[in-house]
Amino acid sequence: MALLKIENLSATVGGKEILKGIDLEIQPGEVHAIMGPNGSGKSTLSYVLAGRPGYEVTGGSVTYDGKNLLDMAPEERACEGVFLAFQYPVELPGVANTTFLKHALNARRKFLGEAELDALEFVKALRKKAKELNIPDEMLKRPVNVGFSGGEKKRNETLQMAILEPRLAILDETDSGLDIDALKLVSEGVNALRSADRSFLVITHYQRLLDYIVPDKVHVLSAGRIVKTGGKELALELEKTGYAGYEDEAA
Amino acid sequence: MSDNLLQDLLRQRGHSGRFEPQEALPTRKAEAWKYTDLKRLEKFGWSVWLAEDSHGVSTLPDAALKIEGAINIVLVNGFLDRDLSALDHLPLGLSLEAGPASEAYGDGFTERLSDALTQEELTLRVDAGKTIEAPIHIHHITWGADADAAITHAARVTITLEQGAEATVVESHVTASGHGFSVPSLGVSLGENSRLGLYSALMERAGSSQIGLADIGVAKGAVLDSFILSIGKGLARREVRLTMAGERGEASLSGAYFGTGDALIDTTTFVTHAAENATSRQFFRGVLDDRSRGVFQGKVLVREGAQGTDGQQQHKAMLLSREAEVDAKPELEIYADDVQCAHGATVGALDEDQLFYLRARGIPEPQARALLTQSFLIEAVEHIARPAIRDVFRDALAYRLEGDLV
Ligand SMILES: Nc1ncnc2c1ncn2[C@@H]1O[C@H](COP(=O)(O)OP(=O)(O)OP(=O)(O)O)[C@@H](O)[C@H]1O
Ligand SMILES: [Mg+2]
């Protein structure tokens, strides 16, 4: 059974139709990449999957792990294992990174009927994973994303993913703004999580990321539709040709 | 009983102070009371508590704010209770006395009301060069014989720090039973190079009203760190007059408030810079839910000759409901030329992007809202310089956000 099955999904934002009939199926353990021009609807798709208010589904369905994903509140989706690494991570002044992660993890554990995490154990696990991503302890104490550089914010998203261990991780341009070393660290973080029952939907503009996180499939999203699907070589091809040919196809 | 509440109170007190025979409570036509309507006081028949009345408080009520290691001084309905207060083993350099009231400074309505109603004054003094390590906690407790009791009281506390002295004072206001209309006043004098932490917690029950006054003078080189946590469920107005009277004085005057139900929380500050190179920092945050109202009137006056003044003021409020309201009136009046002054006032709602971000990490909506509200207010609480007090205030706020008073 597919972990995620999107059928003929269309959605509007601010009254404007952005997604115009998307079909996509991701099996457990698979990594799918989505590429596509600016404004084609990649982030919109990620927000619709995460349940962002204001993104109205006007048709189609999304089945996640056999359940209707669109029926669930955002927090429910997260607790069921859907994780979105934001293209633009949000700043939370006054909320310490550690506190935030503890709340998030405990919310999930509560949802799953597990006991709250021991505070000491949590901090130990957090420090270890932070270190792997080259995130200093000092950053864990700071308010979430406040004053973080672009790259630091993306690493922080990756840290959250590593801690929350989702079943479906949607990475919206997590590679944008990362330096070469950070790109490797983040990719290693993702690869460390890859397993037979965990899937990834990786949105990117750069073929380079896909050298590190090798996808099973690559889709081209253009003007709200998936206009082409191929293997990892499609990314290389796009690198050379750009999206010129696809825009016509979608129109 | 007369139809003039003020005159009725004065008659009960047997002293009309500086009020005219027909004078009534100020209405919203008065500039200083434009946003704070005292009409709600008329809902109750207030009894002025007199020296000869006796109360039934035998221990600190559950509602009291607890501070570890503090010297507890307890005032019930405006009078010092010697049995409940730790007066026996005061640290060396600290003296505490109760006696007849002096007059408040100024001729505003609040000063005159305080003068007319105050019967006893508590005088606290720290000797020159002495540091009092333990926080001094002054508990203001309203006690009524039954749930319907409506008690009016007015306590005056004066705090004097002599040259180079250092102390931490917390003054908290809670309701043990019934409800109160209180007019507490504080007269604070920081001597040269002294350091005072002065922290107020206003946590009275619904139906209570408080019109409080604090008059603070900061002498040369003295440092004031102060905070007002206003989380009661009734009307709470706090007027603060802060005078930077000596050069290089430093004052932090901050606060956080949270209103629910039909609470009205009014913070009215007036900071006067009368000396060179003094610094004042005001940082206020408020959150208003339900039909509650917030008022922030903040004025900074820089007198002629107060060169090198650094006076900053910031007030930010967040409205959680359509019916909640806030009125902010920041004012700057500057008569010196070499000054750095800035003020800012903003009103917003809960940030939807932040809310979604938290929910997208699995945190349920109500909890996400509470977390954002709390963090917004905690940014103000972080201004408290004394860590032990900061922790107590942070906890009291968190508890209140969950719906209760301590
Ligand atoms: N609130 C809104 N009202 C109207 N249009 C919107 C709104 N939000 C987004 N859009 C539009 O939706 C389209 C798709 O945006 P989206 O963010 O999904 O693109 P994207 O593929 O992620 O682009 P990028 O590669 O730049 O990140 C854009 O044209 C954008 O302007
Ligand atoms: Mg995008």
Side-chain angles (χ1 to χ4, degrees):
Chain A
M1 186 182 68
L3 180 64
L4 183 74
K5 188 169 184 182
I6 303 175
E7 286 177 293
N8 198 24
L9 180 70
S10 50
T12 58
V13 188
K16 189 174 153 199
E17 189 175 37
I18 308 292
L19 302 183
K20 301 170 181 166
I22 296 214
D23 290 288
L24 183 67
E25 209 174 306
I26 305 180
Q27 301 301 323
E30 283 184 349
V31 175
H32 286 221
I34 294 188
M35 302 182 83
N38 295 136
S40 56
K42 303 181 297 297
S43 292
T44 303
L45 175 62
S46 75
Y47 286 142
V48 168
L49 295 176
R52 183 174 191 152
Y55 288 71
E56 201 191 333
V57 174
T58 47
S61 65
V62 180
T63 312
Y64 166 78
D65 196 23
K67 291 169 225 160
N68 181 353
L69 187 71
L70 302 177
D71 265 358
M72 301 179 201
E75 52 267 42
E76 232 180 308
R77 301 180 195 200
C79 289
E80 291 280 7
V82 176
F83 179 90
L84 167 63
F86 285 57
Q87 181 175 1
Y88 304 108
V90 177
E91 297 185 1
L92 302 176
V95 185
N97 226 350
T98 306
T99 314
F100 171 63
L101 278 165
K102 202 158 60 191
H103 274 289
L105 193 59
N106 278 331
R108 174 132 189 238
R109 292 176 75 100
K110 194 171 168 192
F111 181 86
L112 298 174
E114 294 169 13
E116 282 204 358
L117 210 77
D118 175 76
L120 222 67
E121 255 174 63
F122 168 74
V123 171
K124 253 168 82 182
L126 178 61
R127 288 224 173 115
K128 182 168 170 281
K129 294 205 161 139
K131 207 169 167 195
E132 285 166 11
L133 287 160
N134 202 12
I135 293 175
D137 283 358
E138 167 265 335
M139 240 167 86
L140 299 174
K141 289 184 198 134
R142 272 161 60 186
V144 180
N145 294 325
V146 178
F148 288 22
S149 75
E152 284 171 346
K153 285 181 183 171
K154 297 303 177 81
R155 270 187 279 152
N156 202 34
E157 292 290 289
T158 315
L159 175 65
Q160 292 172 24
M161 178 183 70
I163 291 289
L164 295 172
E165 301 182 326
R167 287 190 63 200
L168 173 68
I170 305 161
L171 309 182
D172 191 356
E173 295 197 28
T174 303
D175 55 332
S176 298
L178 290 179
D179 64 42
I180 302 157
D181 294 337
L183 182 66
K184 274 187 200 157
L185 286 176
V186 165
S187 306
E188 278 163 20
V190 171
N191 287 331
L193 278 179
R194 284 185 78 161
S195 74
D197 57 0
R198 186 172 286 136
S199 309
F200 292 84
L201 185 60
V202 181
I203 298 170
T204 183
H205 285 296
Y206 306 105
Q207 186 274 329
R208 168 169 214 134
L209 177 73
L210 305 179
D211 282 343
Y212 295 112
I213 307 171
V214 182
D216 297 291
K217 278 186 182 155
V218 176
H219 309 276
V220 180
L221 185 69
S222 180
R225 286 194 188 90
I226 289 179
V227 293
K228 185 156 187 173
T229 295
K232 60 175 190 278
E233 62 294 340
L234 178 56
L236 278 167
E237 198 185 307
L238 289 168
E239 188 94 333
K240 290 196 204 97
T241 61
Y243 299 112
Y246 299 102
E247 270 153 15
D248 294 339
E249 254 173 81
Chain B
M1 173 95 183
S2 100
D3 57 348
N4 182 332
L5 175 62
L6 176 63
Q7 293 300 328
D8 180 43
L9 294 176
L10 297 175
R11 206 159 22 248
Q12 289 187 52
R13 164 76 178 94
H15 177 50
S16 51
R18 292 180 277 156
F19 285 106
E20 302 295 327
Q22 296 303 319
E23 201 170 341
L25 292 174
T27 65
R28 296 186 57 189
K29 285 189 200 122
E31 183 63 24
W33 296 88
K34 192 170 162 189
Y35 305 113
T36 296
D37 197 340
L38 294 177
K39 256 207 167 72
R40 69 170 74 198
L41 282 168
E42 286 161 12
K43 271 192 249 163
F44 301 99
W46 300 100
S47 305
V48 174
W49 192 263
L50 300 168
E52 58 267 28
D53 294 333
S54 61
H55 66 78
V57 182
S58 53
T59 52
L60 278 178
D62 292 342
L65 189 70
K66 277 141 201 109
I67 298 166
E68 213 174 310
I71 303 165
N72 287 315
I73 307 298
V74 182
L75 276 65
V76 180
N77 294 345
F79 292 91
L80 176 68
D81 186 301
R82 294 181 179 274
D83 298 330
L84 294 171
S85 302
L87 298 170
D88 288 344
H89 303 285
L90 293 180
L92 215 65
L94 170 68
S95 66
L96 231 154
E97 280 163 43
S102 61
E103 276 208 349
Y105 173 81
D107 52 12
F109 169 76
T110 307
E111 285 92 340
R112 290 186 296 139
L113 185 65
S114 150
D115 277 355
L117 296 179
T118 304
Q119 297 167 64
E120 189 180 89
E121 178 166 328
L122 184 73
T123 309
L124 194 153
R125 177 178 288 273
V126 183
D127 294 344
K130 287 283 189 293
T131 295
I132 308 302
E133 296 288 349
I136 302 155
H137 186 174
I138 302 167
H139 296 262
H140 291 264
I141 296 171
T142 294
W143 179 88
D146 54 60
D148 296 327
I151 308 293
T152 295
H153 57 86
R156 176 160 304 157
V157 176
T158 61
I159 301 169
T160 305
L161 262 65
E162 292 181 354
Q163 191 171 352
E166 198 169 331
T168 302
V169 178
V170 176
E171 55 116 24
S172 61
H173 300 257
V174 300
T175 317
S177 56
H179 36 260
F181 167 32
S182 61
V183 188
S185 57
L186 257 175
V188 182
S189 159
L190 280 83
E192 284 187 14
N193 299 315
S194 66
R195 304 174 83 88
L196 176 66
L198 177 64
Y199 308 105
S200 302
L202 279 54
M203 316 193 294
E204 285 156 319
R205 270 193 204 154
S208 300
S209 288
Q210 168 172 146
I211 301 174
L213 177 70
D215 192 82
I216 308 170
V218 179
K220 184 174 164 184
V223 179
L224 170 74
D225 183 60
S226 68
F227 194 86
I228 304 164
L229 179 71
S230 200
I231 53 176
K233 296 182 174 176
L235 180 156
R237 167 157 163 140
R238 180 54 73 104
E239 296 179 23
V240 183
R241 321 242 193 283
L242 170 65
T243 307
M244 305 308 291
E247 53 186 283
R248 285 176 293 98
E250 286 173 34
S252 166
L253 170 62
S254 298
Y257 60 87
F258 178 59
T260 55
D262 59 3
L264 194 168
I265 299 171
D266 174 339
T267 310
T268 295
T269 67
F270 191 156
V271 177
T272 304
H273 278 265
E276 286 182 22
N277 299 315
T279 303
S280 68
R281 293 259 174 287
Q282 296 183 66
F283 189 98
F284 285 87
R285 287 270 166 108
V287 173
L288 299 159
D289 204 351
D290 305 328
R291 304 164 307 285
S292 66
R293 296 190 52 149
V295 177
F296 181 80
Q297 308 181 96
K299 183 166 175 177
V300 178
L301 167 69
V302 181
R303 288 242 169 91
E304 209 179 332
Q307 306 298 359
T309 287
D310 181 356
Q312 313 287 331
Q313 182 191 81
Q314 201 199 88
H315 171 258
K316 272 192 191 175
M318 197 156 87
L319 302 179
L320 299 182
S321 113
R322 279 165 179 276
E323 291 166 282
E325 211 181 299
V326 66
D327 294 291
K329 196 175 100 183
E331 266 182 284
L332 269 176
E333 217 177 298
I334 302 176
Y335 298 102
D337 36 57
D338 172 27
V339 300
Q340 276 187 59
C341 282
H343 61 189
T346 61
V347 180
L350 214 61
D351 186 301
E352 291 298 327
D353 290 343
Q354 293 180 344
L355 192 60
F356 174 61
Y357 193 63
L358 289 164
R359 295 178 72 194
R361 295 293 176 257
I363 300 168
E365 190 177 348
Q367 203 186 326
R369 283 181 181 278
L371 195 63
L372 290 176
T373 309
Q374 191 176 340
S375 59
F376 178 76
L377 292 174
I378 279 184
E379 281 198 83
V381 178
E382 296 297 335
H383 283 72
I384 298 176
R386 311 273 198 280
I389 308 298
R390 194 194 308 142
D391 290 347
V392 171
F393 274 43
R394 198 194 283 122
D395 291 350
L397 176 63
Y399 195 73
R400 174 69 180 90
L401 287 170
E402 281 162 24
D404 269 304
L405 294 168
V406 172

